[in-house]
Tab-separated table of all heavy atoms in Angstrom:
chain	number	residue	atom	x	y	z
A	116	LYS	N	0.860	-1.182	0.000
A	116	LYS	CA	0.000	0.000	0.000
A	116	LYS	C	0.897	1.232	0.000
A	116	LYS	O	1.845	1.318	0.785
A	116	LYS	CB	-0.891	-0.024	1.239
A	116	LYS	CG	-1.788	1.184	1.406
A	116	LYS	CD	-2.588	1.062	2.700
A	116	LYS	CE	-3.467	2.285	2.934
A	116	LYS	NZ	-4.213	2.184	4.208
A	117	GLU	N	0.587	2.189	-0.834
A	117	GLU	CA	1.480	3.329	-1.042
A	117	GLU	C	1.819	4.053	0.258
A	117	GLU	O	2.983	4.371	0.514
A	117	GLU	CB	0.858	4.297	-2.037
A	117	GLU	CG	1.753	5.467	-2.385
A	117	GLU	CD	1.113	6.408	-3.388
A	117	GLU	OE1	-0.053	6.193	-3.758
A	117	GLU	OE2	1.799	7.366	-3.793
A	118	THR	N	0.833	4.301	1.097
A	118	THR	CA	1.091	5.089	2.300
A	118	THR	C	1.786	4.299	3.407
A	118	THR	O	2.160	4.873	4.439
A	118	THR	CB	-0.224	5.669	2.850
A	118	THR	OG1	-1.153	4.607	3.052
A	118	THR	CG2	-0.807	6.688	1.880
A	119	ASP	N	1.968	2.995	3.203
A	119	ASP	CA	2.681	2.196	4.205
A	119	ASP	C	4.206	2.294	4.058
A	119	ASP	O	4.941	1.827	4.931
A	119	ASP	CB	2.275	0.720	4.109
A	119	ASP	CG	0.902	0.464	4.718
A	119	ASP	OD1	0.377	1.367	5.396
A	119	ASP	OD2	0.348	-0.632	4.505
A	120	LEU	N	4.646	2.854	2.949
A	120	LEU	CA	6.083	2.940	2.685
A	120	LEU	C	6.533	4.388	2.622
A	120	LEU	O	5.800	5.263	2.148
A	120	LEU	CB	6.434	2.255	1.360
A	120	LEU	CG	6.082	0.769	1.204
A	120	LEU	CD1	6.524	0.276	-0.177
A	120	LEU	CD2	6.723	-0.063	2.300
A	121	SER	N	7.742	4.634	3.070
A	121	SER	CA	8.339	5.953	2.873
A	121	SER	C	8.775	6.072	1.423
A	121	SER	O	8.868	5.076	0.693
A	121	SER	CB	9.552	6.128	3.788
A	121	SER	OG	10.595	5.245	3.389
A	122	GLU	N	9.064	7.293	1.000
A	122	GLU	CA	9.527	7.478	-0.380
A	122	GLU	C	10.837	6.730	-0.607
A	122	GLU	O	11.063	6.151	-1.681
A	122	GLU	CB	9.692	8.971	-0.683
A	122	GLU	CG	9.895	9.272	-2.165
A	122	GLU	CD	8.706	8.878	-3.025
A	122	GLU	OE1	7.563	8.864	-2.524
A	122	GLU	OE2	8.932	8.557	-4.214
A	123	ALA	N	11.694	6.708	0.392
A	123	ALA	CA	12.965	5.981	0.251
A	123	ALA	C	12.716	4.489	0.093
A	123	ALA	O	13.390	3.814	-0.712
A	123	ALA	CB	13.852	6.244	1.464
A	124	GLU	N	11.741	3.947	0.831
A	124	GLU	CA	11.429	2.526	0.710
A	124	GLU	C	10.815	2.206	-0.644
A	124	GLU	O	11.095	1.156	-1.238
A	124	GLU	CB	10.474	2.114	1.840
A	124	GLU	CG	11.125	2.094	3.224
A	124	GLU	CD	10.126	1.899	4.336
A	124	GLU	OE1	8.986	2.434	4.233
A	124	GLU	OE2	10.469	1.229	5.332
A	125	ILE	N	9.981	3.110	-1.151
A	125	ILE	CA	9.405	2.898	-2.481
A	125	ILE	C	10.513	2.843	-3.524
A	125	ILE	O	10.548	1.946	-4.375
A	125	ILE	CB	8.388	4.019	-2.804
A	125	ILE	CG1	7.136	3.864	-1.942
A	125	ILE	CG2	8.017	3.995	-4.293
A	125	ILE	CD1	6.155	5.005	-2.061
A	126	ARG	N	11.448	3.768	-3.437
A	126	ARG	CA	12.529	3.794	-4.437
A	126	ARG	C	13.454	2.592	-4.284
A	126	ARG	O	13.954	2.075	-5.290
A	126	ARG	CB	13.298	5.111	-4.336
A	126	ARG	CG	12.410	6.294	-4.729
A	126	ARG	CD	13.167	7.537	-5.113
A	126	ARG	NE	12.250	8.536	-5.644
A	126	ARG	CZ	12.548	9.409	-6.585
A	126	ARG	NH1	13.752	9.408	-7.136
A	126	ARG	NH2	11.660	10.279	-6.999
A	127	ALA	N	13.632	2.137	-3.072
A	127	ALA	CA	14.458	0.937	-2.877
A	127	ALA	C	13.794	-0.270	-3.528
A	127	ALA	O	14.463	-1.109	-4.156
A	127	ALA	CB	14.677	0.689	-1.391
A	128	ASN	N	12.478	-0.376	-3.404
A	128	ASN	CA	11.764	-1.485	-4.037
A	128	ASN	C	11.775	-1.366	-5.559
A	128	ASN	O	11.846	-2.376	-6.264
A	128	ASN	CB	10.320	-1.546	-3.523
A	128	ASN	CG	10.200	-2.280	-2.211
A	128	ASN	OD1	10.383	-3.489	-2.144
A	128	ASN	ND2	9.891	-1.541	-1.147
A	129	ILE	N	11.703	-0.134	-6.057
A	129	ILE	CA	11.818	0.054	-7.502
A	129	ILE	C	13.193	-0.412	-7.983
A	129	ILE	O	13.316	-1.111	-8.999
A	129	ILE	CB	11.573	1.536	-7.877
A	129	ILE	CG1	10.103	1.919	-7.640
A	129	ILE	CG2	11.958	1.796	-9.342
A	129	ILE	CD1	9.799	3.388	-7.835
A	130	ALA	N	14.223	-0.040	-7.238
A	130	ALA	CA	15.588	-0.428	-7.625
A	130	ALA	C	15.773	-1.943	-7.611
A	130	ALA	O	16.545	-2.489	-8.415
A	130	ALA	CB	16.593	0.231	-6.684
A	131	ASN	N	15.043	-2.637	-6.750
A	131	ASN	CA	15.220	-4.082	-6.602
A	131	ASN	C	14.294	-4.909	-7.487
A	131	ASN	O	14.338	-6.137	-7.438
A	131	ASN	CB	14.989	-4.491	-5.135
A	131	ASN	CG	16.110	-4.014	-4.232
A	131	ASN	OD1	17.257	-3.912	-4.656
A	131	ASN	ND2	15.777	-3.718	-2.980
A	132	CYS	N	13.444	-4.265	-8.283
A	132	CYS	CA	12.509	-5.022	-9.116
A	132	CYS	C	12.932	-4.980	-10.581
A	132	CYS	O	13.809	-4.202	-10.976
A	132	CYS	CB	11.091	-4.481	-8.975
A	132	CYS	SG	10.772	-2.931	-9.857
A	133	ASP	N	12.289	-5.818	-11.362
A	133	ASP	CA	12.429	-5.761	-12.823
A	133	ASP	C	11.249	-5.030	-13.454
A	133	ASP	O	11.395	-4.368	-14.479
A	133	ASP	CB	12.517	-7.177	-13.406
A	133	ASP	CG	13.727	-7.935	-12.906
A	133	ASP	OD1	14.848	-7.462	-13.135
A	133	ASP	OD2	13.547	-8.993	-12.270
A	134	VAL	N	10.077	-5.176	-12.813
A	134	VAL	CA	8.852	-4.560	-13.337
A	134	VAL	C	8.158	-3.823	-12.195
A	134	VAL	O	7.897	-4.397	-11.138
A	134	VAL	CB	7.895	-5.617	-13.928
A	134	VAL	CG1	6.653	-4.929	-14.511
A	134	VAL	CG2	8.596	-6.450	-14.991
A	135	PHE	N	7.868	-2.553	-12.424
A	135	PHE	CA	7.194	-1.704	-11.456
A	135	PHE	C	5.754	-1.500	-11.923
A	135	PHE	O	5.504	-0.893	-12.961
A	135	PHE	CB	7.933	-0.373	-11.343
A	135	PHE	CG	7.270	0.665	-10.464
A	135	PHE	CD1	6.614	0.311	-9.292
A	135	PHE	CD2	7.323	2.017	-10.801
A	135	PHE	CE1	6.024	1.265	-8.481
A	135	PHE	CE2	6.743	2.982	-9.998
A	135	PHE	CZ	6.084	2.600	-8.831
A	136	LEU	N	4.798	-2.045	-11.164
A	136	LEU	CA	3.380	-1.869	-11.460
A	136	LEU	C	2.778	-0.955	-10.412
A	136	LEU	O	2.900	-1.215	-9.210
A	136	LEU	CB	2.649	-3.218	-11.442
A	136	LEU	CG	3.147	-4.298	-12.406
A	136	LEU	CD1	4.056	-5.279	-11.668
A	136	LEU	CD2	1.980	-5.052	-13.030
A	137	PHE	N	2.139	0.135	-10.834
A	137	PHE	CA	1.568	1.074	-9.869
A	137	PHE	C	0.119	1.383	-10.223
A	137	PHE	O	-0.253	1.505	-11.392
A	137	PHE	CB	2.390	2.367	-9.800
A	137	PHE	CG	2.299	3.231	-11.019
A	137	PHE	CD1	1.442	4.331	-11.044
A	137	PHE	CD2	3.065	2.961	-12.154
A	137	PHE	CE1	1.364	5.141	-12.166
A	137	PHE	CE2	2.983	3.767	-13.282
A	137	PHE	CZ	2.131	4.859	-13.297
A	138	GLY	N	-0.711	1.457	-9.196
A	138	GLY	CA	-2.127	1.736	-9.387
A	138	GLY	C	-2.481	3.148	-8.970
A	138	GLY	O	-1.866	3.732	-8.073
A	139	THR	N	-3.511	3.699	-9.614
A	139	THR	CA	-4.042	5.018	-9.250
A	139	THR	C	-5.554	4.913	-9.081
A	139	THR	O	-6.197	4.028	-9.638
A	139	THR	CB	-3.717	6.083	-10.317
A	139	THR	OG1	-4.262	5.675	-11.579
A	139	THR	CG2	-2.214	6.280	-10.436
A	140	LEU	N	-6.105	5.845	-8.323
A	140	LEU	CA	-7.539	5.846	-8.016
A	140	LEU	C	-8.160	7.203	-8.328
A	140	LEU	O	-8.888	7.751	-7.522
A	140	LEU	CB	-7.758	5.534	-6.532
A	140	LEU	CG	-7.869	4.079	-6.104
A	140	LEU	CD1	-8.154	3.987	-4.618
A	140	LEU	CD2	-8.962	3.368	-6.893
A	141	SER	N	-7.901	7.734	-9.467
A	141	SER	CA	-8.411	9.058	-9.809
A	141	SER	C	-9.903	8.996	-10.136
A	141	SER	O	-10.388	8.025	-10.703
A	141	SER	CB	-7.652	9.630	-10.998
A	141	SER	OG	-6.305	9.841	-10.663
A	142	THR	N	-10.611	10.060	-9.777
A	142	THR	CA	-12.027	10.142	-10.121
A	142	THR	C	-12.249	10.930	-11.399
A	142	THR	O	-13.260	10.757	-12.067
A	142	THR	CB	-12.819	10.829	-8.992
A	142	THR	OG1	-12.266	12.138	-8.768
A	142	THR	CG2	-12.730	10.023	-7.715
A	143	SER	N	-11.316	11.830	-11.734
A	143	SER	CA	-11.537	12.680	-12.906
A	143	SER	C	-10.203	13.188	-13.429
A	143	SER	O	-9.137	12.816	-12.948
A	143	SER	CB	-12.459	13.850	-12.550
A	143	SER	OG	-11.893	14.649	-11.541
A	144	PHE	N	-10.293	14.057	-14.408
A	144	PHE	CA	-9.133	14.484	-15.166
A	144	PHE	C	-8.920	15.989	-15.012
A	144	PHE	O	-9.875	16.758	-15.049
A	144	PHE	CB	-9.376	14.135	-16.629
A	144	PHE	CG	-8.480	14.823	-17.617
A	144	PHE	CD1	-7.190	14.366	-17.832
A	144	PHE	CD2	-8.920	15.922	-18.340
A	144	PHE	CE1	-6.363	14.998	-18.753
A	144	PHE	CE2	-8.096	16.557	-19.256
A	144	PHE	CZ	-6.825	16.092	-19.466
A	145	THR	N	-7.671	16.400	-14.820
A	145	THR	CA	-7.326	17.815	-14.803
A	145	THR	C	-6.235	18.062	-15.819
A	145	THR	O	-5.180	17.431	-15.753
A	145	THR	CB	-6.828	18.258	-13.415
A	145	THR	OG1	-7.859	18.042	-12.457
A	145	THR	CG2	-6.462	19.728	-13.423
A	146	PRO	N	-6.469	18.946	-16.795
A	146	PRO	CA	-5.446	19.169	-17.812
A	146	PRO	C	-4.220	19.837	-17.225
A	146	PRO	O	-4.311	20.705	-16.367
A	146	PRO	CB	-6.142	20.088	-18.827
A	146	PRO	CG	-7.209	20.771	-18.046
A	146	PRO	CD	-7.661	19.786	-17.009
């Protein structure tokens, strides 16, 4: 879950993976 990790932990996991899959929950669009 995004808020369970610090930004440093997120980047560490990105560095240690081959594929980064991320989800978003937007309701609408802002140009």
Side-chain angles (χ1 to χ4, degrees):
K116 177 182 178 182
E117 184 179 4
T118 55
D119 284 348
L120 301 181
S121 67
E122 192 63 28
E124 290 171 324
I125 290 173
R126 294 200 172 213
N128 277 291
I129 291 174
N131 289 329
C132 76
D133 298 300
V134 182
F135 175 37
L136 302 99
F137 70 99
T139 58
L140 272 183
S141 295
T142 58
S143 61
F144 164 79
T145 299

